[in-house]
Amino acid sequence: MSARRVGREALKGFITGLMEDGRTVWGPQEFQGSVRFRPLKKNGTPVLDVPNATLSPKEVVFPPSEWMFLFSTDPGREDAFVLKEVPQEGPEQVILGIRPCDARAFQILDRVFLEQGAHEDPYYRSKRDRTLLIGLGCNTPCSTCFCHWTGGGPFHTEGLDVLMTDLGDVYLLEPVTERGRALLDALQLDEAGADEVERGKHIAEEARASMGEAKDPRRIKEKDLMALFGSPFWERAHEACVKCGVCTYLCPTCSCFDIQDEVRGACGFRGRNWDTCMFALTTLHASGHNPRPTGKERFRQRFMHKLKYFQDDFGDVMCVGCGRCVQYCPANIDIREIIEALSA
Amino acid sequence: MTPKDVNVSAVQEHFKSPDPMIPYSARVTDIKPEAYAIATYGLMFVDEKIRAGYQFMPGQFNMIYLPGIGEVPISISSDPGDPERLGHTIRYAGNVTRAISRLQVGDIVGIRGPYGSAWPVERMRGQDLCIVTGGIGLAPLRPLIYTLIRRRSEFGRVILLYGARTPNDMVYVDEFPDWETKGIQVHTTVDRADEHWKGHVGVVPMLFYHIRLDPKQTTVVTCGPEIMMRFVIYEALARRIPKDRIYISMERTMKCGVGFCGHCQFGPVFVCKEGPVFSYAQVEPFFGLEDF
């Protein structure tokens, strides 16, 4: 038996143990009125009882803004305009309490940044390689959750290193990968009893059963791309959308970014920021031509990319069913309805 | 000049640097004004090793970077047989290109590349070639023209159909006589003539009516505004050129150039890695539809 247990009251000690060897531990915390993953302070406690954080921990490996390199613009300096890499090394890090859907999103980001072509994204790679995921299964999935549609589930271990189950008084920790096993072994935690593992299984089954019937977006893969693209469905569907971009901002799988230069005083930076296909500027050419001129095309692009193009290329939809876009959309646009409409 | 073999793997190996987003320094060696707000910049890598290792194929592009301003994808428009002296023909349109317009000989820019797909020169061997292009769209085709000239005997007829808004918007006109003596038929047209213009007036696809193409052995390559390419394709298809013998070069906003940033998505393909050169057969379903 390799499952371990941590009593609820011993959680602090467990986190302190994780922080040894200089590890950074990211956990969900109250932050400016929302719940976001931040590095935990010593003796800090993560907010593990909320259903899911407002923002996924995508930012741990793919920050909203990051510098790629910097340079001096002072012509008097010998190194003026010499590009200097921003050091990418950092401490080993653990994301504690990441939900299984967000962990699957990391695997989707891996495909975009590491597995898609001739190049690897070095900024993503350096952070991804030193990040371990300790996931927390979802005992009570929300009404907006639909991870089971996209091939996941409230206790799916795909992408995780360790799966944590809240048994009430005790957290059950089950290693998924070798790295996760090594971490748990090093921490010398108590072994979990067979009854506790059994209780964990039971909770997982109940959680899954509470989620209702799943629709299968994989049926969209069999549909003709042009028929979907040209469908009159888009004419109506986009009308409610105000193109605020919150869906792309909160999405754990959205990976588009913009690259910008910034100069402050004599110090220049080149950095990248999250971008969104909902904005007209994303595709605007310098000539004034915009290949996606109105909201309809941008709306369609987002869903066609997630549900069709990405699925055709990689076999999975670019959605993990976390439900954030459903929860926070100011116009009540529900990606589940779009999946149903496209796969009908 | 002895033609160098264009070796992709050598390029890839050289540029499989840990960071594909970091450009290398290149010096502006000459600036040649081509037309209104268009100039060709001769560029040479500062580092000798990079200069010696750099090779590209006709149709590929580089990302040109000005620190503090930004980066733009620009087709390489010089001779692939002489990759040490890169040429980029640039129209001043946005922030970065306007800053480029202020560069002087001796200034340094950043370059990374080459990226993207190339005109399929090997597949064109033995074929007649009809190159149809408008305005600065000739820039990504000039490396192909140089290649064809160097290997002229391997190809059939080579016809260039070239149009621009006005005679002042035409690029490389000074080279046309030389190309004609080297076996390239050049037909030109303008949308609006001036008092000195004695040639055709009208849009580029109309030039198809001045030539005859053999559908059994012709490849059509085109680069220009999407609306122009759409009508070029109509004309080519009307002449029974097979869809997989029509090649286009697409344009999209790009940020990273290597398939991460998502800006250049053109339906299911990324213009930066699967393109910019596509065969019409590849993009037929969604090309010409507005709004991909």
Side-chain angles (χ1 to χ4, degrees):
Chain A
M1 255 311 153
S2 54
R4 311 278 172 155
R5 69 193 294 281
V6 172
R8 193 170 267 269
E9 72 297 336
L11 189 67
K12 250 186 200 169
F14 170 60
I15 293 169
T16 311
L18 287 175
M19 284 180 184
E20 268 168 32
D21 310 328
R23 269 193 213 98
T24 304
V25 179
W26 295 72
Q29 289 175 73
E30 300 275 355
F31 182 78
Q32 296 175 354
S34 59
V35 178
R36 278 176 71 171
F37 281 80
R38 315 294 325 156
L40 290 171
K41 295 200 180 75
K42 261 217 160 94
N43 291 322
T45 41
V47 188
L48 293 179
D49 298 328
V50 294
N52 201 353
T54 319
L55 240 73
S56 95
K58 173 173 84 174
E59 60 186 306
V60 178
V61 287
F62 178 41
S65 290
E66 67 182 316
W67 298 126
M68 298 158 75
F69 50 79
L70 37 104
F71 49 88
S72 163
T73 59
D74 179 359
R77 286 179 60 141
E78 210 170 275
D79 62 350
F81 293 108
V82 175
L83 308 182
K84 291 189 193 116
E85 279 188 78
V86 176
Q88 293 296 324
E89 302 82 42
E92 292 280 312
Q93 42 191 10
V94 172
I95 306 178
L96 180 69
I98 183 174
R99 299 288 178 167
C101 53
D102 292 342
R104 281 193 72 230
F106 275 45
Q107 293 195 314
I108 285 173
L109 295 175
D110 285 353
R111 292 185 193 163
V112 174
F113 288 122
L114 305 177
E115 294 160 16
Q116 52 88 20
H119 301 275
E120 269 187 4
D121 186 302
Y123 312 98
Y124 180 83
R125 167 62 90 188
S126 67
K127 294 186 221 13
R128 183 73 169 101
D129 278 353
R130 52 185 162 85
T131 306
L132 258 133
L133 307 185
I134 301 184
L136 177 62
C138 304
N139 293 13
T140 45
C142 307
S143 61
T144 47
C145 288
F146 60 106
C147 48
H148 58 314
W149 291 31
T150 61
F155 283 82
H156 260 233
T157 53
E158 223 179 302
L160 289 175
D161 293 293
V162 175
L163 174 69
M164 215 162 122
T165 308
D166 185 353
L167 301 180
D169 47 339
V170 161
Y171 289 107
L172 179 70
L173 294 160
E174 292 165 291
V176 179
T177 61
E178 270 315 305
R179 282 174 78 194
R181 186 183 304 272
L183 179 76
L184 292 187
D185 286 349
L187 289 171
Q188 298 179 327
L189 304 169
D190 297 338
E191 294 224 347
D195 59 317
E196 283 168 330
V197 176
E198 207 46 51
R199 261 165 75 203
K201 255 189 205 146
H202 183 67
I203 287 175
E205 276 161 22
E206 266 190 356
R208 174 63 188 82
S210 74
M211 293 190 79
E213 190 202 342
K215 305 271 166 32
D216 192 359
R218 265 163 293 199
R219 284 172 56 196
I220 300 173
K221 193 174 180 184
E222 294 143 27
K223 302 269 173 190
D224 176 50
L225 187 148
M226 289 318 295
L228 291 178
F229 183 85
S231 164
F233 165 75
W234 303 111
E235 297 288 344
R236 293 273 314 280
H238 86 94
E239 278 172 353
C241 175
V242 295
K243 316 299 175 302
C244 66
V246 73
C247 48
T248 53
Y249 191 77
L250 297 174
C251 180
T253 66
C254 270
S255 56
C256 288
F257 59 85
D258 186 20
I259 304 181
Q260 290 290 339
D261 277 59
E262 239 177 86
V263 178
R264 292 178 194 163
C267 197
F269 310 85
R270 187 158 172 75
R272 64 178 183 186
N273 309 305
W274 288 356
D275 202 352
T276 167
C277 53
M278 290 286 121
F279 295 170
L281 277 178
T282 306
T283 48
L284 184 67
H285 292 184
S287 66
H289 172 226
N290 195 340
R292 284 185 223 123
T294 76
K296 177 188 154 195
E297 292 83 32
R298 301 197 278 279
F299 182 89
R300 175 168 60 189
Q301 163 67 20
R302 172 169 155 82
F303 292 106
M304 284 294 277
H305 183 215
K306 288 208 168 297
L307 304 173
K308 180 65 182 165
Y309 309 149
F310 194 85
Q311 193 172 197
D312 285 352
D313 282 355
F314 295 104
D316 274 322
V317 283
M318 198 182 195
C319 171
V320 290
C322 70
R324 288 186 180 90
C325 58
V326 184
Q327 269 179 51
Y328 292 96
C329 177
N332 283 329
I333 289 167
D334 191 332
I335 189 171
R336 290 171 296 186
E337 287 169 12
I338 290 164
I339 291 173
E340 284 188 66
L342 293 187
S343 52
Chain B
M1 199 193 306
T2 47
K4 281 183 186 167
D5 287 330
V6 176
N7 182 346
V8 201
S9 61
V11 178
Q12 293 294 343
E13 201 179 323
H14 191 87
F15 276 84
K16 198 129 193 189
S17 66
D19 191 341
M21 312 259 204
I22 296 238
Y24 294 90
S25 308
R27 195 176 297 281
V28 178
T29 56
D30 60 280
I31 302 171
K32 181 177 163 251
E34 298 280 359
Y36 173 70
I38 300 176
T40 300
Y41 290 76
L43 297 167
M44 199 177 257
F45 282 110
V46 174
D47 187 305
E48 266 174 48
K49 257 175 42 203
I50 289 171
R51 200 189 311 155
Y54 185 92
Q55 301 203 308
F56 70 94
M57 293 183 289
Q60 289 190 296
F61 66 93
N62 278 327
M63 299 297 288
I64 299 189
Y65 175 57
L66 293 180
I69 315 264
E71 201 171 32
V72 278
I74 305 277
S75 299
I76 310 171
S77 53
S78 58
D79 187 352
D82 186 9
E84 294 200 354
R85 287 186 301 161
L86 290 168
H88 286 275
T89 302
I90 296 171
R91 184 159 78 90
Y92 311 135
N95 291 338
V96 182
T97 47
R98 246 174 269 147
I100 288 175
S101 75
R102 294 192 286 272
L103 290 178
Q104 290 172 348
V105 171
D107 285 349
I108 301 278
V109 299
I111 294 190
R112 57 192 179 95
Y115 296 129
S117 58
W119 303 109
V121 178
E122 293 314 312
R123 200 166 175 256
M124 295 171 182
R125 287 173 63 181
Q127 293 256 314
D128 290 347
L129 273 157
C130 182
I131 299 168
V132 197
T133 169
I136 199 174
L138 186 52
L141 285 157
R142 194 167 69 157
L144 175 68
I145 292 173
Y146 288 145
T147 309
L148 297 175
I149 288 176
R150 181 163 323 99
R151 299 164 55 177
R152 188 66 192 84
S153 60
E154 297 174 38
F155 305 91
R157 290 190 303 155
V158 180
I159 305 168
L160 171 65
L161 309 181
Y162 180 55
R165 278 181 216 163
T166 73
N168 289 333
D169 292 318
M170 295 192 136
V171 297
Y172 313 140
V173 240
D174 54 326
E175 294 185 45
F176 289 178
D178 183 47
W179 292 356
E180 286 186 297
T181 61
K182 286 174 176 157
I184 302 208
Q185 278 181 49
V186 182
H187 299 263
T188 53
T189 183
V190 294
D191 293 351
R192 283 190 310 280
D194 62 10
E195 63 273 28
H196 305 295
W197 182 255
K198 295 200 182 72
H200 295 294
V201 176
V203 292
V204 188
M206 298 310 287
L207 288 174
F208 271 100
Y209 294 88
H210 298 281
I211 56 165
R212 310 198 86 178
L213 299 176
D214 179 353
K216 285 200 282 302
Q217 51 160 11
T218 301
T219 299
V220 172
V221 294
T222 178
C223 178
E226 267 169 61
I227 183 80
M228 186 208 92
M229 293 199 283
R230 197 190 316 176
F231 283 95
V232 167
I233 290 167
Y234 288 156
E235 296 295 342
L237 292 175
R239 284 159 184 77
R240 306 199 169 229
I241 310 286
K243 286 169 188 165
D244 66 338
R245 290 279 178 197
I246 303 173
Y247 289 92
I248 62 169
S249 179
M250 289 294 299
E251 179 170 54
R252 280 292 181 271
T253 317
M254 288 177 196
K255 291 291 176 184
C256 75
V258 285
F260 301 134
C261 79
H263 282 254
C264 67
Q265 284 178 60
F266 171 44
V269 297
F270 278 65
V271 173
C272 69
K273 36 171 204 168
E274 279 112 317
V277 175
F278 297 98
S279 85
Y280 180 55
Q282 250 176 303
V283 296
E284 183 199 355
F286 42 94
F287 181 80
L289 277 174
E290 290 284 317
D291 324 327
F292 250 97

